[in-house]
Amino acid sequence: MVNAVVTRGRYTGAMTDTPTQAPTQAPATVLPDYAIARAAYARGDYLAAARVVAAHLRAGADGPEIKTDLALSMEKLGKLDLAEKLLLEAIATGQARPRTPRALARVLGETGRSREGLALVERMLAAGVDETFLAHPRYDLVADLGDT
C-alpha cells in the first residue's frame, strides 16, 4: 500500500479518491497512509480519521479535498461550526468537487439553516450538478433538507 505524501505542499489523495501513484520525485514528507483515514471513517471511527487528516494538514497539505475530508469527520463528531468553516474554505478555492457544497448544505441543515442549505442545492443544480448526486442513496440531501 502506498503512503499518502505531501510534495511541495500538495496532497496526493483524498478519503474518497482511488489510490494515486507515488510521485516520481522524492516526497518532502511521508505521512501515515491516508488509507488509514479512509478505513477509520468507513468503520465509524471519525476521531481516528480526523487525526490522520489533520496530520496531513499540519504537514503542509492543502487543497479543498483534504479540508472536505476533515470537515466530514468533524461533522460526524458534532463539531458543526468547524465543519462549516472547513467546507467554506474548501469552496473558496474554486476547485472543490460537488461533494463539498453538498456536505455544506447538509451541515447547514443540521444547524437549523435549512433554507440556506436548500438555496445552496438550488445553486448546485443551476450550475449543472447531477440531481442524482444530491439524492445519494446513503444520504438523501434534498429530502432531508426539505423536511426541516
Side-chain angles (χ1 to χ4, degrees), residues 67-96:
K67 288 184 178 186
T68 299
D69 289 343
L70 183 56
L72 293 173
S73 290
M74 292 296 102
E75 176 191 9
K76 295 292 189 176
L77 292 169
K79 299 186 181 298
L80 299 177
D81 290 341
L82 180 55
E84 181 179 351
K85 177 183 177 285
L86 289 163
L87 292 166
L88 288 170
E89 288 174 8
I91 291 169
T93 67
Q95 299 174 351

Side-chain angles (χ1 to χ4, degrees), residues 2-142:
V2 176
N3 281 342
V5 295
V6 176
T7 306
R8 294 187 189 155
R10 299 290 304 171
Y11 169 69
T12 64
M15 250 193 288
T16 58
D17 291 343
T18 56
T20 58
Q21 290 228 297
T24 55
Q25 67 189 51
T29 307
V30 177
L31 299 168
D33 191 331
Y34 211 76
I36 294 169
R38 285 188 221 113
Y41 190 88
R43 72 173 179 269
D45 190 351
Y46 306 116
L47 184 57
R51 285 181 177 147
V52 172
V53 176
H56 284 261
L57 278 172
R58 283 191 304 275
D62 65 357
E65 290 307 308
I66 195 162
K67 288 184 178 186
T68 299
D69 289 343
L70 183 56
L72 293 173
S73 290
M74 292 296 102
E75 176 191 9
K76 295 292 189 176
L77 292 169
K79 299 186 181 298
L80 299 177
D81 290 341
L82 180 55
E84 181 179 351
K85 177 183 177 285
L86 289 163
L87 292 166
L88 288 170
E89 288 174 8
I91 291 169
T93 67
Q95 299 174 351
R97 293 186 351 210
R99 75 183 185 119
T100 303
R102 178 181 72 178
L104 178 58
R106 191 174 58 239
V107 167
L108 290 171
E110 290 173 8
T111 59
R113 295 178 290 162
S114 297
R115 290 185 197 276
E116 289 177 59
L118 284 170
L120 180 57
V121 168
E122 289 171 1
R123 287 193 303 274
M124 290 173 70
L125 289 170
V129 173
D130 186 357
E131 183 177 336
T132 58
F133 181 78
L134 298 172
H136 192 277
R138 290 192 314 192
Y139 200 106
D140 191 345
L141 177 64
V142 176

